[in-house]
Amino acid sequence: MQENSILDYNNKMKIDINKIAKLANLKLLDKEKIVFEKQLEEILKYIEKLNTINTTNVIETSQVTNLTNVTKEDSISNSLKENEALSQSKNKSDSFFQVDAIFE
Amino acid sequence: MMDNQIKSNLTIKKAKSLLEKREISSVEITKEYLSKSNKLNPKLNAYITIDEKNALKKANKADIAYKNGENLPLLGIPIALKDLFLTKGLKTTASSKLLENYVPQYDATVVKKLTDVGAIIIGKLNCDAWAHGSSGENSDYGVARNPWNTEYIPGGSSSGSAVAVASDMCIASTGTDTGGSIRLPAGFCNVVGLKPTYGRVSRYGIIAMASSLDSIGHFTKTVEDSSLLLNITAGKDDKDATTFDTPTEYFEKKINDSLKGIKIGLPKEYFNSSLDKNIKNAIDKALAFYSKSGAEIIEISLPHTEYSIACYYIIQPAEVSSNLARYDGIRYGKTRECFGEEAKRRIILGTFTLSAGYYDAYYKKAMQVRTLIKQDFEKAFEKVNAIITPTSPSLPWKIGDKTDDPLKMYLSDIYTVTANLAGIPGISIPAGFCNDLPIGMQILGPHFSENLLFNLGHQYEINHEWYKIQPKI
């Protein structure tokens, strides 16, 4: 696999929609899967045009105004009270958020 | 009693002067705007929530404050917020059914700044759900309608924000701009829309779309009002590490400067065959004005322009998929089945491009192209002070025209996404009409050059006054 190349994936551009939906924690309807698969392939095909640009040695821009290592004083400030934090949840037990068991 | 002529069609500046002279009360203005909003909303669908009770309570307080000799920059002025801005105790939906019952426990920094200086929040405005869209049609609460022709889209994602100001349902409104979501609807509705420099205004407490691109701005009737609002919202916030400790600038003081010697760049890539001829004519006329005012017009090139949408549609959905991962229905909101179609599409696309084996080919590649797009602007700004383009290559389109073709919809942002990728500020100002539909002109400048944008925008505006033309609704 050559680095920086989208075209390498050209022949197997088909998206495994079930795998991606699982990664994204989304339950999709069968008809959504069919539509999305087609639309996403069109979008990815359009995106391929980036591959015509040579980006060897180009540094990525992730912070556009060039900030690095922003720090602030590590001081205590006000935070939400327990009842406020819980106020929007339907899944709570006493003063806890309640979630499904993770371990059997 | 004041007649309605005085109570409506107000700018911030005009309203403030009437309030200060006590020629009108905040309760009178607020009542007028509430009644107009209640009357027009069934037709235009700009508001999701109208907060009549609290608005009137605050207006009363503002009047008492004026009587006591107090004064604040927005004391008693009714404004409205895109429904992405968290408001303590007031429902905030992001125009998604997933958050239809969500009542925030705190205010966004910008909301706090605006209300601290006396602004009255009269309601929360419709938008594309999660700010995903260019037309307003992705709202789970129905499309907001363009007041210039209700069969047409108002532009998105900050659709209701543009509609409400254009139809005078509020004096000003807030918006968010990740790829054009303020400038595009401003252009389509004949109002002024500002996307500040990335990091100029705090994002804290505003529902995140794509964090490396999100910019917080606003809609006003005039450029002067836009500068007034930025003076309030801008500044360092410890709760958003990307904000800047720039000195307090009096943005509105620069707007009357002479334009003599200012160099304006025209990127040739934006004036190609896909640009509507009528829009091109309107921009040409504006350029003739600038030229007459002593500015120099110079053709420039932004060679990577044609790659901007492809670059944006990797970076943005990737960050969307990450930001929307938090909505699990546990601490607040409903479960993930409640995401609408567009949010699901972007989550899937973003999850795919970030997934193992594809990251380098997509996200990393896009971030490298982003560098080249940013460098295009840096090189251009060595030659010119500002850049002028149309806000959109086309006029507003009919509701439904692009909804079946996501890629076609995405391409509507072709003139606006570049500013987000480069982090630079942009303003869309009214530049005329074609077939009774508004045309927007975009002015772009280097990082933190908002003063120059206001200067250029204001000089054009006072000589053309397109904002004084009102939609018939």
Side-chain angles (χ1 to χ4, degrees):
Chain A
M1 188 175 73
Q2 195 191 336
E3 211 192 356
N4 286 349
S5 172
I6 294 174
L7 290 181
D8 287 343
Y9 300 103
N10 235 357
N11 300 327
K12 39 178 179 176
M13 189 58 97
K14 200 138 178 77
I15 299 169
D16 184 346
I17 195 88
N18 289 314
K19 184 187 158 202
I20 300 299
K22 192 173 174 232
L23 276 174
N25 190 19
L26 277 183
K27 288 183 192 119
L28 298 181
L29 305 169
D30 283 343
K31 70 168 190 227
E32 282 178 326
K33 286 181 192 168
I34 296 164
V35 174
F36 284 172
E37 216 160 21
K38 188 176 159 285
Q39 289 173 340
L40 294 182
E41 273 160 30
E42 277 168 23
I43 295 164
L44 290 174
K45 194 157 178 280
Y46 177 80
I47 285 170
E48 266 173 37
K49 67 155 75 179
L50 293 190
N51 212 51
T52 60
I53 312 173
N54 182 0
T55 51
T56 319
N57 299 328
V58 175
I59 297 166
E60 302 114 81
T61 294
S62 48
Q63 213 294 323
V64 77
T65 45
N66 304 325
L67 289 170
T68 46
N69 298 335
V70 178
T71 58
K72 62 169 181 165
E73 190 116 359
D74 190 12
S75 56
I76 297 167
S77 59
N78 291 334
S79 55
L80 293 182
K81 294 189 188 80
E82 186 184 289
N83 63 336
E84 287 175 328
L86 289 164
S87 67
Q88 296 300 306
S89 180
K90 285 191 209 85
N91 318 289
K92 53 195 167 189
S93 171
D94 298 328
S95 51
F96 296 100
F97 292 112
Q98 199 169 15
V99 297
D100 292 338
I102 296 167
F103 301 109
E104 301 258 322
Chain B
M1 273 300 275
M2 290 287 162
D3 59 56
N4 285 355
Q5 211 64 39
I6 295 180
K7 281 189 282 184
S8 59
N9 295 327
L10 293 170
T11 59
I12 295 176
K13 202 184 170 200
K14 181 92 206 299
K16 195 70 205 331
S17 129
L18 291 168
L19 285 164
E20 280 171 359
K21 286 188 257 168
R22 306 275 303 279
E23 286 180 25
I24 195 166
S25 72
S26 175
V27 169
E28 280 177 300
I29 301 181
T30 307
K31 271 191 178 159
E32 175 65 22
Y33 276 93
L34 283 168
S35 111
K36 215 166 176 181
S37 299
N38 283 321
K39 191 180 127 211
L40 294 179
N41 207 45
K43 208 169 171 185
L44 298 176
N45 201 24
Y47 283 94
I48 288 178
T49 306
I50 297 176
D51 190 15
E52 194 151 352
K53 214 173 112 190
N54 274 313
L56 285 173
K57 217 193 276 176
K58 292 272 170 61
N60 239 319
K61 273 193 181 165
D63 285 334
I64 294 168
Y66 274 116
K67 267 178 209 156
N68 293 337
E70 290 167 42
N71 201 354
L72 290 163
L74 296 177
L75 187 58
I77 309 273
I79 64 165
L81 308 170
K82 186 177 187 178
D83 211 11
L84 236 53
F85 287 64
L86 299 199
T87 41
K88 189 175 179 176
L90 180 63
K91 189 175 76 166
T92 301
T93 68
S95 293
S96 167
K97 290 287 176 195
L98 193 145
L99 291 179
E100 70 179 342
N101 301 316
Y102 174 53
V103 181
Q105 302 98 324
Y106 62 99
D107 278 331
T109 297
V110 167
V111 174
K112 191 167 181 313
K113 282 185 158 192
L114 290 167
T115 51
D116 277 355
V117 298
I120 292 167
I121 311 296
I122 60 173
K124 304 297 290 287
L125 297 160
N126 200 357
C127 57
D128 286 294
W130 309 102
H132 299 168
S134 309
S135 68
E137 289 162 294
N138 291 330
S139 169
D140 289 352
Y141 300 80
V143 62
R145 287 169 182 271
N146 194 316
W148 294 93
N149 185 332
T150 54
E151 300 294 305
Y152 285 72
I153 57 102
S157 71
S158 311
S159 51
S161 301
V163 173
V165 174
S167 58
D168 198 40
M169 294 156 89
C170 62
I171 296 182
S173 64
T174 64
T176 60
D177 190 313
T178 305
S181 282
I182 289 174
R183 289 160 288 157
L184 196 67
F188 284 172
C189 292
N190 197 46
V191 295
V192 176
L194 174 73
K195 172 230 177 282
T197 306
Y198 180 81
R200 176 71 99 169
V201 179
S202 168
R203 299 163 304 162
Y204 179 72
I206 296 162
I207 293 167
M209 179 176 162
S211 301
S212 80
L213 302 160
D214 290 348
S215 232
I216 311 307
H218 44 257
F219 294 82
T220 53
K221 292 169 189 174
T222 64
V223 174
E224 192 169 14
D225 276 4
S226 191
S227 69
L228 256 155
L229 274 187
L230 187 64
N231 217 7
I232 293 158
T233 57
K236 175 87 179 153
D237 178 11
D238 276 346
K239 288 170 174 151
D240 179 352
T242 65
T243 51
F244 277 82
D245 210 358
T246 39
T248 312
E249 286 172 74
Y250 292 93
F251 295 106
E252 70 266 33
K253 284 190 181 155
K254 289 270 185 192
I255 60 177
N256 291 314
D257 285 2
S258 157
L259 301 183
K260 210 163 183 308
I262 290 180
K263 290 183 180 137
I264 297 174
L266 280 195
K268 61 177 182 197
E269 291 82 4
Y270 286 57
F271 291 86
N272 59 21
S273 57
S274 57
L275 170 62
D276 183 303
K277 275 203 182 98
N278 297 300
I279 297 176
K280 187 180 178 298
N281 286 342
I283 304 299
D284 283 344
K285 280 185 196 159
L287 293 169
F289 162 80
Y290 282 118
S291 186
K292 219 176 79 190
S293 310
E296 196 184 333
I297 315 289
I298 298 165
E299 190 181 271
I300 56 161
S301 173
L302 299 167
H304 294 92
T305 300
E306 71 160 299
Y307 304 103
S308 55
I309 291 283
C311 178
Y312 177 77
Y313 270 93
I314 295 174
I315 296 172
Q316 174 260 106
E319 296 182 13
V320 160
S321 76
S322 164
N323 273 325
L324 294 186
R326 79 189 62 172
Y327 296 97
D328 53 12
I330 293 171
R331 290 166 304 152
Y332 51 84
K334 296 183 167 180
T335 51
R336 292 175 76 76
E337 286 87 73
C338 299
F339 277 125
E341 192 184 317
E342 185 61 26
K344 285 183 190 169
R345 185 161 32 241
R346 294 189 190 202
I347 292 170
I348 293 289
L349 178 58
T351 305
F352 172 74
T353 57
L354 289 178
S355 61
Y358 294 98
Y359 176 86
D360 279 358
Y362 290 107
Y363 195 72
K364 188 180 169 198
K365 179 81 183 181
M367 295 300 244
Q368 288 174 312
V369 175
R370 184 177 187 177
T371 302
L372 298 174
I373 291 169
K374 195 181 162 212
Q375 286 170 351
D376 279 357
F377 279 101
E378 284 164 1
K379 281 176 202 153
F381 289 130
E382 284 169 13
K383 290 187 206 131
V384 296
N385 304 105
I387 292 172
I388 285 185
T389 80
T391 305
S392 158
S394 73
L395 291 165
W397 54 91
K398 271 196 162 167
I399 290 170
D401 268 6
K402 295 189 186 180
T403 40
D404 290 337
D405 189 344
L407 185 56
K408 203 171 163 194
M409 185 73 90
Y410 296 168
L411 288 166
S412 319
D413 292 333
I414 186 95
Y415 292 165
T416 50
V417 290
T418 47
N420 299 79
L421 291 167
I424 59 173
I427 193 168
S428 177
I429 60 172
F433 293 86
C434 174
N435 306 329
D436 293 326
L437 290 168
I439 293 170
M441 170 166 72
Q442 175 175 242
I443 313 174
L444 303 168
H447 288 155
F448 301 104
S449 66
E450 283 86 347
N451 268 334
L452 177 62
L453 308 189
F454 293 142
N455 183 204
L456 284 163
H458 179 70
Q459 293 304 315
Y460 174 81
E461 183 183 88
I462 53 172
N463 279 281
H464 295 80
E465 297 192 320
W466 298 111
Y467 72 93
K468 288 198 171 162
I469 304 173
Q470 306 272 325
K472 294 178 194 73
I473 19 150

Short mmCIF file of all heavy atoms in Angstrom, two decimals, chain A residues 50 53 55 58-60, chain B residues 304 307-308 311 364-374:
data_model
loop_
_atom_site.label_atom_id
_atom_site.label_comp_id
_atom_site.label_asym_id
_atom_site.label_seq_id
_atom_site.Cartn_x
_atom_site.Cartn_y
_atom_site.Cartn_z
N LEU A 50 -8.52 14.74 -4.94
CA LEU A 50 -7.39 15.19 -4.12
C LEU A 50 -6.11 14.45 -4.47
O LEU A 50 -5.00 14.94 -4.27
CB LEU A 50 -7.69 14.99 -2.62
CG LEU A 50 -8.79 15.82 -1.98
CD1 LEU A 50 -8.75 15.64 -0.48
CD2 LEU A 50 -8.64 17.30 -2.34
N ILE A 53 -3.19 15.85 -6.49
CA ILE A 53 -2.26 16.85 -5.95
C ILE A 53 -1.10 16.15 -5.26
O ILE A 53 -1.30 15.22 -4.48
CB ILE A 53 -2.96 17.73 -4.88
CG1 ILE A 53 -4.30 18.25 -5.39
CG2 ILE A 53 -2.06 18.89 -4.48
CD1 ILE A 53 -5.08 18.97 -4.31
N THR A 55 1.33 15.91 -2.46
CA THR A 55 1.45 16.47 -1.11
C THR A 55 2.68 15.93 -0.37
O THR A 55 2.75 15.98 0.85
CB THR A 55 0.19 16.16 -0.27
OG1 THR A 55 -0.09 14.77 -0.36
CG2 THR A 55 -1.01 16.95 -0.73
N VAL A 58 4.32 17.92 2.50
CA VAL A 58 3.44 19.00 2.96
C VAL A 58 2.98 18.65 4.38
O VAL A 58 2.51 17.54 4.63
CB VAL A 58 2.21 19.17 2.04
CG1 VAL A 58 1.24 20.21 2.61
CG2 VAL A 58 2.64 19.55 0.63
N ILE A 59 3.15 19.58 5.30
CA ILE A 59 2.75 19.33 6.69
C ILE A 59 1.25 19.56 6.82
O ILE A 59 0.70 20.50 6.24
CB ILE A 59 3.53 20.26 7.64
CG1 ILE A 59 5.03 19.93 7.55
CG2 ILE A 59 3.04 20.13 9.08
CD1 ILE A 59 5.92 20.97 8.17
N GLU A 60 0.57 18.69 7.57
CA GLU A 60 -0.88 18.83 7.74
C GLU A 60 -1.22 20.07 8.58
O GLU A 60 -0.47 20.41 9.49
CB GLU A 60 -1.47 17.62 8.47
CG GLU A 60 -1.23 16.29 7.83
CD GLU A 60 -0.34 15.43 8.69
OE1 GLU A 60 -0.83 14.82 9.64
OE2 GLU A 60 0.89 15.38 8.40
N HIS B 304 -5.72 26.23 -5.61
CA HIS B 304 -6.30 24.99 -5.08
C HIS B 304 -7.81 25.06 -4.82
O HIS B 304 -8.37 24.17 -4.20
CB HIS B 304 -5.54 24.54 -3.83
CG HIS B 304 -4.13 24.15 -4.10
ND1 HIS B 304 -3.09 25.05 -4.00
CD2 HIS B 304 -3.58 22.99 -4.51
CE1 HIS B 304 -1.95 24.44 -4.33
NE2 HIS B 304 -2.23 23.19 -4.64
N TYR B 307 -10.20 22.13 -5.28
CA TYR B 307 -10.10 20.98 -4.38
C TYR B 307 -10.76 21.22 -3.02
O TYR B 307 -10.78 20.35 -2.15
CB TYR B 307 -8.63 20.60 -4.17
CG TYR B 307 -7.91 20.32 -5.46
CD1 TYR B 307 -7.05 21.26 -6.02
CD2 TYR B 307 -8.14 19.12 -6.15
CE1 TYR B 307 -6.42 21.01 -7.23
CE2 TYR B 307 -7.52 18.86 -7.36
CZ TYR B 307 -6.66 19.82 -7.89
OH TYR B 307 -6.04 19.58 -9.09
N SER B 308 -11.29 22.44 -2.84
CA SER B 308 -11.72 22.81 -1.49
C SER B 308 -12.92 21.99 -1.00
O SER B 308 -12.95 21.57 0.16
CB SER B 308 -12.03 24.31 -1.43
OG SER B 308 -12.98 24.65 -2.40
N CYS B 311 -11.75 18.49 -0.06
CA CYS B 311 -10.98 18.58 1.18
C CYS B 311 -11.93 18.75 2.38
O CYS B 311 -11.82 18.04 3.39
CB CYS B 311 -10.03 19.78 1.05
SG CYS B 311 -9.03 20.12 2.47
N LYS B 364 -5.59 12.47 6.58
CA LYS B 364 -4.26 13.06 6.53
C LYS B 364 -4.05 13.81 5.20
O LYS B 364 -3.54 14.93 5.18
CB LYS B 364 -3.19 11.98 6.70
CG LYS B 364 -1.80 12.55 6.85
CD LYS B 364 -0.74 11.47 7.04
CE LYS B 364 0.64 12.09 6.90
NZ LYS B 364 1.67 11.10 6.66
N LYS B 365 -4.48 13.17 4.12
CA LYS B 365 -4.36 13.80 2.80
C LYS B 365 -5.10 15.14 2.79
O LYS B 365 -4.59 16.16 2.31
CB LYS B 365 -4.92 12.86 1.73
CG LYS B 365 -4.88 13.39 0.32
CD LYS B 365 -3.52 13.20 -0.30
CE LYS B 365 -3.44 13.81 -1.70
NZ LYS B 365 -2.13 13.62 -2.31
N ALA B 366 -6.33 15.15 3.33
CA ALA B 366 -7.14 16.38 3.34
C ALA B 366 -6.47 17.47 4.17
O ALA B 366 -6.48 18.64 3.80
CB ALA B 366 -8.54 16.08 3.86
N MET B 367 -5.87 17.09 5.29
CA MET B 367 -5.20 18.08 6.14
C MET B 367 -3.97 18.65 5.44
O MET B 367 -3.56 19.79 5.69
CB MET B 367 -4.81 17.45 7.48
CG MET B 367 -6.00 17.04 8.32
SD MET B 367 -7.09 18.42 8.72
CE MET B 367 -6.92 18.46 10.48
N GLN B 368 -3.35 17.86 4.57
CA GLN B 368 -2.22 18.38 3.78
C GLN B 368 -2.72 19.35 2.71
O GLN B 368 -2.14 20.43 2.51
CB GLN B 368 -1.46 17.22 3.13
CG GLN B 368 -0.66 16.40 4.13
CD GLN B 368 -0.04 15.18 3.50
OE1 GLN B 368 -0.71 14.43 2.78
NE2 GLN B 368 1.23 14.96 3.77
N VAL B 369 -3.82 18.97 2.05
CA VAL B 369 -4.39 19.87 1.03
C VAL B 369 -4.86 21.16 1.69
O VAL B 369 -4.74 22.25 1.13
CB VAL B 369 -5.53 19.17 0.26
CG1 VAL B 369 -6.20 20.14 -0.71
CG2 VAL B 369 -5.00 17.95 -0.48
N ARG B 370 -5.36 21.03 2.93
CA ARG B 370 -5.78 22.22 3.67
C ARG B 370 -4.61 23.20 3.82
O ARG B 370 -4.79 24.41 3.68
CB ARG B 370 -6.28 21.78 5.06
CG ARG B 370 -6.82 22.92 5.88
CD ARG B 370 -7.38 22.45 7.21
NE ARG B 370 -8.03 23.56 7.88
CZ ARG B 370 -8.66 23.48 9.03
NH1 ARG B 370 -8.74 22.32 9.65
NH2 ARG B 370 -9.22 24.54 9.56
N THR B 371 -3.43 22.68 4.07
CA THR B 371 -2.23 23.53 4.15
C THR B 371 -2.02 24.29 2.85
O THR B 371 -1.72 25.49 2.85
CB THR B 371 -0.99 22.65 4.46
OG1 THR B 371 -1.23 21.96 5.68
CG2 THR B 371 0.28 23.48 4.57
N LEU B 372 -2.20 23.58 1.72
CA LEU B 372 -1.99 24.24 0.42
C LEU B 372 -3.03 25.33 0.18
O LEU B 372 -2.71 26.40 -0.34
CB LEU B 372 -2.03 23.20 -0.70
CG LEU B 372 -0.95 22.11 -0.63
CD1 LEU B 372 -1.18 21.05 -1.71
CD2 LEU B 372 0.44 22.72 -0.76
N ILE B 373 -4.28 25.08 0.59
CA ILE B 373 -5.34 26.08 0.44
C ILE B 373 -5.03 27.30 1.31
O ILE B 373 -5.16 28.44 0.88
CB ILE B 373 -6.72 25.46 0.78
CG1 ILE B 373 -7.11 24.44 -0.30
CG2 ILE B 373 -7.80 26.53 0.93
CD1 ILE B 373 -8.31 23.57 0.03
N LYS B 374 -4.57 27.04 2.52
CA LYS B 374 -4.21 28.12 3.43
C LYS B 374 -3.04 28.94 2.85
O LYS B 374 -3.05 30.17 2.90
CB LYS B 374 -3.80 27.50 4.78
CG LYS B 374 -3.75 28.49 5.91
CD LYS B 374 -3.31 27.81 7.21
CE LYS B 374 -2.85 28.86 8.19
NZ LYS B 374 -1.80 28.42 9.08
#
